[in-house]
Amino acid sequence: MTTEIRRPIAKAAPAPRSDAWRTSAACTSQDRERFYSESQKAVGQARGFCRSCPVIGECLTDTMAQESGRYRWGLMGGLTPLQRLALQWEERMHGHRPDVVAARLLISPQWRYTLHGMNRLTPEMAALRLRVTGGLNVDAVTVRLALWWLGERGSRVRQRGRRQEPEVDRLIRLYGPVIRQLRALRASHHDVAAYLGAQEPIVSLAVSRLEKADKTEMENAA
Ligand code: SF4
């Protein structure tokens, strides 16, 4: 099975916006409060509505087109505000949008179980495995979106192994180049933490150590 994998971030004039998809939304007759609740249970219920919503892709695309900066609220298009921020950085880093049609296929009963077993992998490794073992041609950004829609962590930072390495050292060792790349794109500490799925205080420590090391290297080279 082959699926379209890349949706470039088009620079062409945007098509006129249509809100027609809202009439098919699964949440129209629901209590919208739970989509903005602090309670994990309420958010889990709201995510269930999104998962079965026929216009989840349209909702996510439309919501993200209207958001900017740090100001995002509520579960929309099946993602929390932090996940939408991370997805925005995924798009900047990879230069293309997720394939929402392929992501919907991944959360269908046919693929859902397979994807559940991949939650501990990075999105790149999960995409590779889906390609090799399932013949499904999806990219890492799309896989990450599908994991989030299923309610999985879908973090870029792999869960801690057995090694007793301090978290900040591990972050620098495994993700130093990615952190530098994000900072070059003017990502804040908050943005980097969202993208990696890591804790912001740990990311802040890693960023300041990396930037100090880069400064020292430049001074030594001068
Ligand atoms: S994806 Fe979720 S928030 Fe968006 S319209 Fe559907 S149910 Fe409502």
Side-chain angles (χ1 to χ4, degrees), residues 3-10 61 91 94-102 139 142:
T3 305
E4 177 66 29
I5 59 169
R6 301 227 153 167
R7 299 210 162 179
I9 299 173
T61 304
E91 293 177 0
H94 296 270
H96 66 92
R97 298 205 159 112
D99 183 336
V100 290
V101 176
D139 64 297
T142 300

Side-chain angles (χ1 to χ4, degrees), residues 32-37 43 63 67 72-82 84:
R32 288 288 308 166
E33 282 300 310
R34 62 162 69 102
F35 287 78
Y36 295 90
S37 173
V43 171
T63 301
E67 290 179 321
R72 294 169 173 79
W73 287 277
L75 188 86
M76 299 293 292
L79 300 190
T80 64
L82 207 57
R84 295 198 299 276

Side-chain angles (χ1 to χ4, degrees), residues 21 25-27 32 35 49-50 53 55-56 59 75-78:
W21 60 267
C27 55
R32 288 288 308 166
F35 287 78
F49 282 110
C50 291
C53 179
V55 288
I56 188 172
C59 176
L75 188 86
M76 299 293 292

